[in-house]
Amino acid sequence: MSLNVINHLGLNLYSNIPAVLSEVVANAWDADATEVSVKIDRTAGTVTVQDDGAGMTLQDINERYLTVGYRRRDNAPTTTPKFRRAVMGRKGIGKLSLFSIARVVEVYTVKGGEKHAFRMRVADIKNAITDERGSLTPYRPEVISTDSIDFPSGTKIVLQDLKKGMNQTESALRRRLARRFSVIDPDFNFSLSINGTSVSTDDRDYLKRLQYVWVYGDAAYVAKIRSATPKAESFESRIALTGDGGSIKGWVGTVRSASQLREQGENLNKVVILARGRLSHEDLLENISDSSFYRQYMIGELNADFLDSDNAEDITTSSRQRLDEDDPRFIDLLRFFEAENHHIKKKWSSLRETQGVTVARENPAIDEWFGTLQGDADNHARRLFGMINRIDGADPNIKKELFAHGVLAFETLRYRNNLAALQEMNEPAVEAFISLFTTADEIEANLYHRIVTQRLEVIDRMQADMDDDSKEKVLQQILFEHLWLLDPAWERATDSHLEERIGSTFLSAPLTKEEQDSRLDIRYKRVSGAHVIIELKRYSVVTNTFRLAEQVAKYREGLTKALRSIGEDDPHIEIVCIVGKPLSDWANTQGKTVSDQMLAPLNARAMTFDELLKNSRSSYSQYLRERGNLDRLKSVIDSIHGGTGSA
């Protein structure tokens, strides 16, 4: 791999300080450290990270630390010698992340009485990049004095000439680092402190927020989570294995109010994935298509060590904050989570419904009224009061009024015990109100069926109307209008751009002339905040993975600089390349696999026009096959609309 690509992957990929410090903490874990200390000196503008681990000899420094891409698990034991820890390191590029936030890095290390110290500068490393082909001159760090080393064993790293100020408070940094690791705990003989204050699991600051909890793992782990959530109103232990036998340990919970998951600078409405004790995927919720409003109440933490097996390919992307979503292990995990999400959604609705009735019946008059209900009337009243209870953030007095209106609307049911009686009411507003709450799920299911049918019609029209010569321009416009063709979860995109020159959109960004002139076929921003670039190649053009990687690396670098110039310090960028003809190095299945592996570190993927249409049709057709029989409102909705329209 060229040094230019490494430059994109390491020197410029990270800018999030907690993510960078996580790499150093992970290295300390792999070095059998028991204590890691982070010291922030805002006056001097330095960050110092020191551990009491094994340290490094000169041979270790040259063969491992200074070798970019050194794959420890291929060349050394996969467990540490002292504590037999499963090592976290894998790609060998984590050390490059330091240069994302510092222009100068000093390393002091001691092992077996042997002391070494050296200094590395970003400017010197960049000078070693001589041309676009990736040939390079030897780079040697500057050897510095070891006189200041006053510790018997371990490594100290000093970050100087910081690229950005340390504007995060120490408590916020403790919180974010605590959420990135599950091994910072006395049980693992591994501690972390920031300016002398220890980081603990309590710093995660979310278990105490939970109302309902679902837990996966052995009895000891379940007991540990239960003791940490004493105020939870519902607690359920669940099966801890995926369909392929992957072991899961962790929890998923919901909060009383969605606002509890919104805190300054961070969104907690996520289900994070950890492997080998560290964060590996920031939000599994993004990977499921269920957009029910209950999702905004969810939070979770799942440990899945099978995702980081020594005997399988590396599943993590270069930023180590996301997983390869096409890997069978991730797909297995996703199936497990989708099934659990379905269970949790039903259970949550039932629990909130029960709670709504309980809250309403605290009023003696409503309690007495409930006692008079029978049969369907009682069931529909419970569902209505549950829906009222799920109105997030509603003032208690407003909820009391809604409960009162519910009683009035159900008075007819109390006497007639028949939903048909609602149609005879003389108050249209009340009739519409009750009709909405008794058929909401049914309407939602049929409307989604209608949307799927319409989308399949769009795909059919595309396949029928486009010839080879028109595919690029026609597909560009259709993709811009219907982003769901790439992924159903991307339909609610914001800030969309068609045929955009980066330099024209971001006038003040510090871009090179080449980056300013870069033209992006389509760029848009997902509701989650991720940026997506869609690169379209002419149908007749045949290219290869290396040229594609060079191009998307340039796009990534330019857009990253541009977004940082407007205050987006840590942009997540995904790139999808749509090509007419298979890449020239896709000669066989193995070639396609190697190509995917080359593009994955850039968070990019490539597919043909025809694959795009085939995959999109398959995903939507599957829904229709599985649904089978339509419920009774399908014919009503179809008759109202008199046919189908555009998606």
Side-chain angles (χ1 to χ4, degrees), residues 322-339:
R322 295 187 69 83
L323 299 172
D324 176 4
E325 296 170 9
D326 295 323
D327 189 283
R329 290 163 291 174
F330 183 83
I331 294 171
D332 179 39
L333 173 66
L334 189 58
R335 287 175 182 152
F336 166 84
F337 183 63
E338 286 175 332

Side-chain angles (χ1 to χ4, degrees), residues 31 51-57 60 109-111 153-155:
D51 67 63
D52 63 350
M56 294 181 286
T57 64
D60 293 332
T109 187
V110 183
K111 184 174 184 179
S153 179
T155 298

Side-chain angles (χ1 to χ4, degrees), residues 363-567:
N363 181 312
I366 294 180
D367 182 58
E368 181 181 356
W369 173 79
F370 250 103
T372 67
L373 299 178
Q374 299 176 7
D376 286 345
D378 180 77
N379 292 333
H380 286 291
R382 289 178 178 277
R383 187 167 187 275
L384 171 58
F385 280 39
M387 293 291 284
I388 293 173
N389 185 55
R390 291 198 291 267
I391 299 175
D392 187 39
D395 183 274
N397 291 326
I398 295 177
K399 281 193 176 181
K400 288 179 181 179
E401 287 187 21
L402 291 172
F403 288 144
H405 284 298
V407 172
L408 291 173
F410 266 91
E411 271 300 304
T412 301
L413 285 178
R414 189 173 81 85
Y415 291 110
R416 296 178 180 268
N417 197 25
N418 191 335
L419 277 174
L422 295 174
Q423 299 175 3
E424 302 173 11
M425 295 180 66
N426 294 324
E427 299 172 296
V430 175
E431 178 180 352
F433 178 74
I434 295 300
S435 297
L436 172 64
F437 277 88
T438 56
T439 61
D441 288 345
E442 201 167 39
I443 290 173
E444 182 181 13
N446 281 276
L447 288 177
Y448 187 66
H449 180 277
R450 183 176 181 79
I451 290 171
V452 169
T453 302
Q454 293 167 352
R455 290 181 175 182
L456 286 172
E457 290 175 359
V458 170
I459 296 171
D460 288 339
R461 289 199 302 271
M462 290 173 62
Q463 291 178 318
D465 296 344
M466 288 195 304
D467 57 32
D468 290 353
D469 294 330
S470 67
K471 278 187 177 179
E472 180 189 8
K473 293 304 293 184
V474 173
L475 187 63
Q476 182 188 60
Q477 190 60 43
I478 290 178
L479 276 176
F480 188 71
E481 296 172 354
H482 304 293
L483 294 172
W484 49 262
L485 280 163
L486 281 168
D487 188 321
W490 291 359
E491 61 186 325
R492 293 180 296 159
T494 62
D495 194 25
S496 300
H497 300 267
L498 185 66
E499 294 190 345
E500 172 194 51
R501 282 181 66 251
I502 298 179
S504 298
T505 303
F506 301 92
L507 298 176
S508 62
L511 304 173
T512 65
K513 180 64 168 59
E514 185 181 19
E515 290 167 344
Q516 288 177 348
D517 294 337
S518 294
R519 183 182 62 83
L520 308 182
D521 291 332
I522 298 175
R523 177 176 72 86
Y524 65 92
K525 190 174 183 179
R526 295 164 59 177
V527 292
S528 64
H531 297 269
V532 180
I533 297 173
I534 301 175
E535 168 68 12
L536 295 167
K537 294 296 183 185
R538 288 195 300 275
Y539 195 80
S540 58
V541 169
V542 178
T543 186
N544 60 49
T545 303
F546 181 79
R547 286 200 294 268
L548 209 56
E550 290 287 326
Q551 184 175 16
V552 300
K554 179 185 69 175
Y555 287 166
R556 170 183 288 280
E557 176 70 1
L559 184 57
T560 297
K561 288 181 181 178
L563 293 171
R564 288 176 182 169
S565 73
I566 60 172

Side-chain angles (χ1 to χ4, degrees), residues 198-415:
S198 295
V199 177
S200 72
T201 52
D202 290 340
D203 287 308
R204 297 181 189 180
D205 191 32
Y206 39 48
L207 286 174
K208 66 183 181 183
R209 308 173 192 230
L210 303 182
Q211 181 181 28
Y212 309 135
V213 189
W214 291 264
V215 186
Y216 310 87
D218 55 36
Y221 183 81
V222 171
K224 182 176 181 179
I225 299 300
R226 179 181 285 277
S227 66
T229 56
K231 295 183 180 180
E233 298 171 22
S234 175
F235 192 98
E236 181 182 2
S237 179
R238 299 287 293 163
I239 295 174
L241 292 176
T242 68
D244 290 345
S247 178
I248 300 290
K249 180 182 287 188
W251 56 270
V252 175
T254 58
V255 294
R256 292 169 180 81
S257 170
S259 61
Q260 291 178 275
L261 299 181
R262 296 189 292 270
E263 61 182 30
Q264 187 174 5
E266 189 166 6
N267 173 27
L268 297 183
N269 182 206
K270 301 176 180 180
V271 174
V272 302
I273 303 301
L274 299 101
R276 296 204 180 197
R278 71 176 291 179
L279 177 72
S280 59
H281 195 78
E282 288 197 314
D283 186 13
L284 197 57
L285 282 178
E286 280 193 353
N287 298 100
I288 62 174
S289 58
D290 184 350
S291 58
S292 302
F293 77 99
Y294 104 98
R295 275 183 51 171
Q296 63 188 301
Y297 292 79
M298 290 184 70
I299 183 174
E301 177 183 279
L302 299 178
N303 294 270
D305 287 348
F306 68 90
L307 296 172
D308 194 10
S309 169
D310 293 326
N311 300 319
E313 288 295 322
D314 191 356
I315 192 175
T316 59
T317 61
S318 57
S319 70
R320 294 198 65 88
Q321 297 177 72
R322 295 187 69 83
L323 299 172
D324 176 4
E325 296 170 9
D326 295 323
D327 189 283
R329 290 163 291 174
F330 183 83
I331 294 171
D332 179 39
L333 173 66
L334 189 58
R335 287 175 182 152
F336 166 84
F337 183 63
E338 286 175 332
E340 286 304 305
N341 178 66
H342 181 70
H343 168 81
I344 292 170
K345 177 180 178 181
K346 290 179 62 177
K347 191 72 178 287
W348 180 83
S349 297
S350 175
L351 289 166
R352 296 279 282 207
E353 176 182 305
T354 300
Q355 185 194 45
V357 173
T358 300
V359 172
R361 296 187 74 160
E362 290 175 356
N363 181 312
I366 294 180
D367 182 58
E368 181 181 356
W369 173 79
F370 250 103
T372 67
L373 299 178
Q374 299 176 7
D376 286 345
D378 180 77
N379 292 333
H380 286 291
R382 289 178 178 277
R383 187 167 187 275
L384 171 58
F385 280 39
M387 293 291 284
I388 293 173
N389 185 55
R390 291 198 291 267
I391 299 175
D392 187 39
D395 183 274
N397 291 326
I398 295 177
K399 281 193 176 181
K400 288 179 181 179
E401 287 187 21
L402 291 172
F403 288 144
H405 284 298
V407 172
L408 291 173
F410 266 91
E411 271 300 304
T412 301
L413 285 178
R414 189 173 81 85
Y415 291 110

